[in-house]
Amino acid sequence: MDWHLLGLSFITVFLSELGDKSQLAAIALSGGSRSPRVVFFGAAAALLVASFLGVIVGEGTAHLLPAKVIKIIAAIGFAVMAIRLLLPKPETTEEVS
């Protein structure tokens, strides 16, 4: 087993999930629940399935594109999201009837 890759994957996902919407949803669900253990297992299962899908899609993409191209696409995607977060929202004009 590649322990370095395991540790790197754990640290990367752990840090990226801190303060994420999924963590806030788990906080909200467990705060209003009498079974925080059930909320934990549900949230853990959801993260497990989402991570599994990411690995499967990543593996499939790696067969089609070189790693450098995938990293460039990911970097551009994150940059676009960051720029969109920094830009002010356009005001919408809704008519109330």
Side-chain angles (χ1 to χ4, degrees):
M1 179 176 287
D2 187 349
W3 292 102
H4 182 284
L5 183 58
L6 177 70
L8 184 62
S9 300
F10 176 84
I11 290 169
T12 303
V13 172
F14 180 78
L15 291 177
S16 67
E17 289 297 320
L18 285 177
D20 192 11
K21 290 181 286 185
S22 57
Q23 186 181 27
L24 297 175
I27 290 169
L29 286 171
S30 65
S33 168
R34 292 186 179 159
S35 293
R37 184 179 298 153
V38 174
V39 174
F40 167 75
F41 286 122
L47 182 58
L48 185 69
V49 170
S51 296
F52 176 74
L53 290 174
V55 169
I56 295 300
V57 170
E59 181 184 20
T61 306
H63 290 297
L64 300 173
L65 299 170
K68 186 169 186 161
V69 172
I70 295 171
K71 288 179 183 180
I72 290 170
I73 291 170
I76 291 170
F78 278 111
V80 168
M81 287 189 289
I83 291 168
R84 289 195 63 200
L85 286 171
L86 291 173
L87 295 175
K89 285 186 177 181
E91 293 188 31
T92 58
T93 56
E94 295 181 18
E95 293 183 23
V96 179
S97 33

